[in-house]
Amino acid sequence: MDNQVLQIAERIRGLRDISDISVAEMAKRCEVSEEEYVACEAGKVDFSFTFLYKCAAAFGVELTELLTGDSPKLTGYTVTRAGEGLSIKRREGFEYDNLGYLFRDKLAEPYIVTAPYREEEQHMPVHQTSHEHQEFDFILKGKMKFVYGEHIEILCPGDAVYYDSRRGHGMIATGGEDCEFLAVVIRKEK
């Protein structure tokens, strides 16, 4: 496993110990089996974005702290130049660039997400996950197949979807090319 995954796993394990949360409780909060949680915490497998997001929520820390070991410090405003977001590569090729990672006490997490086009995914059920809060996705390039429970939507550049992310949802690139979109996870309360 790569060094970044091992460092993140070490931070997760350390925060769990400091927070005095059992493995069983963390597995429950992250909605994975205890075996899956232990493998993640040991750095034996890569983490999904949703897993990392749920860990950060359980520990009451910013996602940036799990990824980098540093807490965001800026207030007032922060500028993220093109191509300089905090890169998070997870979930079989999905790339997330966190655009607000330096801002402290965020009410929303903005990302530019690139979903890779995969022909083999086009005829399979789309994997769905859930996490707290709400989400807004705005398509910038390519096409997205968005699944929310039993509902399926094909979104094109300029289209947007706003949803309660506590319910199962998933997305894949469709139409023969990668899909790039702005995703904003919005907290209901801080």
Side-chain angles (χ1 to χ4, degrees):
M1 198 48 51
D2 74 27
N3 194 41
Q4 182 187 26
V5 170
L6 292 173
Q7 289 175 358
I8 295 168
E10 186 175 309
R11 284 190 281 277
I12 291 170
R13 186 173 46 258
L15 284 165
R16 184 180 60 77
D17 287 343
I18 290 167
S19 302
D20 198 29
I21 301 173
S22 70
V23 167
E25 179 61 24
M26 278 303 295
K28 181 179 176 184
R29 290 184 187 190
C30 294
E31 298 179 16
V32 297
S33 70
E34 286 186 42
E35 294 78 23
E36 290 171 304
Y37 180 83
V38 168
C40 288
E41 192 176 270
K44 293 181 179 177
V45 296
D46 202 352
F47 324 98
S48 70
F49 174 80
T50 302
F51 176 84
L52 291 171
Y53 191 82
K54 289 178 180 181
C55 282
F59 301 134
V61 300
E62 300 266 354
L63 184 57
T64 302
E65 192 168 334
L66 279 185
L67 298 173
T68 67
D70 292 326
S71 297
K73 296 176 180 39
L74 298 178
T75 60
Y77 80 97
T78 181
V79 173
T80 304
R81 301 287 179 199
E84 294 182 4
L86 177 62
S87 181
I88 308 166
K89 295 182 179 174
R90 296 284 174 268
R91 205 180 118 202
E92 296 185 21
F94 269 63
E95 294 182 24
Y96 300 79
D97 286 325
N98 188 322
L99 304 178
Y101 70 99
L102 294 172
F103 196 85
R104 186 177 66 196
D105 298 326
K106 290 179 284 304
L107 298 177
E109 291 275 355
Y111 299 91
I112 294 291
V113 181
T114 303
Y117 176 81
R118 292 198 171 93
E119 182 60 38
E120 65 273 12
E121 291 180 330
Q122 303 306 306
H123 308 288
M124 298 170 39
V126 174
H127 175 73
Q128 296 186 48
T129 61
S130 64
H131 52 85
E132 287 299 312
H133 312 301
Q134 299 173 348
E135 189 166 332
F136 170 79
D137 297 338
F138 181 84
I139 310 305
L140 300 168
K141 297 178 189 171
K143 292 182 181 179
M144 173 196 287
K145 180 178 185 180
F146 172 77
V147 178
Y148 188 79
E150 300 297 319
H151 302 277
I152 298 173
E153 301 285 346
I154 303 298
L155 304 173
C156 300
D159 291 345
V161 59
Y162 190 108
Y163 53 97
D164 180 344
S165 49
R166 293 175 298 174
R167 292 191 49 201
H169 61 279
M171 61 274 301
I172 61 169
T174 193
E177 63 182 314
D178 293 354
C179 178
E180 184 177 271
F181 59 100
L182 171 67
V184 182
V185 178
I186 305 150
R187 290 181 176 90
K188 285 187 171 184
E189 55 192 51
K190 185 73 176 159

